[in-house]
Amino acid sequence: MVILYCLMEYQPVRFNEMKRYLGRISDKTLSQNLKELEADDLVHREAYPQIPPKVEYSLTERGESLMKVLDQLCVWGTENRIS
């Protein structure tokens, strides 16, 4: 979910930029999560044919629609927090 929020805030984002935004996360973990999100059609991966290689990640329409739901869930959690 943190990856989705990062993309919502900063898209498009390159791999190393995202790693900096997220803090302590291994390359392997970030790569696996991005592949899963791409397979679920929540994240779009755009590879540019240049040297050095350039790859950017952004939310798909489906990913953006999920963010609306997640934002509402966060609002609900804040409003219904038990002290």
Side-chain angles (χ1 to χ4, degrees):
M1 187 160 57
V2 176
I3 293 171
L4 295 174
Y5 275 104
C6 179
L7 289 171
M8 182 181 76
E9 187 72 24
Y10 301 109
Q11 70 179 331
V13 180
R14 295 179 70 180
F15 187 88
N16 285 331
E17 289 176 315
M18 190 175 315
K19 195 171 174 192
R20 275 193 301 264
Y21 293 141
L22 298 177
R24 294 180 48 175
I25 187 170
S26 71
D27 288 352
K28 182 179 178 182
T29 301
L30 180 55
S31 180
Q32 284 177 334
N33 280 282
L34 285 167
K35 286 178 184 176
E36 289 173 9
L37 291 167
E38 187 180 359
D40 292 336
D41 193 34
L42 298 173
V43 170
H44 173 71
R45 180 182 186 272
E46 183 73 36
Y48 297 92
Q50 64 186 46
I51 298 176
K54 178 181 174 184
V55 177
E56 293 180 337
Y57 296 91
S58 58
L59 291 174
T60 61
E61 266 187 50
R62 186 174 187 199
E64 289 176 1
S65 70
L66 176 61
M67 294 312 297
K68 293 174 187 173
V69 174
L70 292 177
D71 281 341
Q72 288 301 312
L73 186 59
C74 289
V75 168
W76 182 90
T78 301
E79 290 173 353
N80 292 282
R81 185 178 348 185
I82 298 174
S83 299

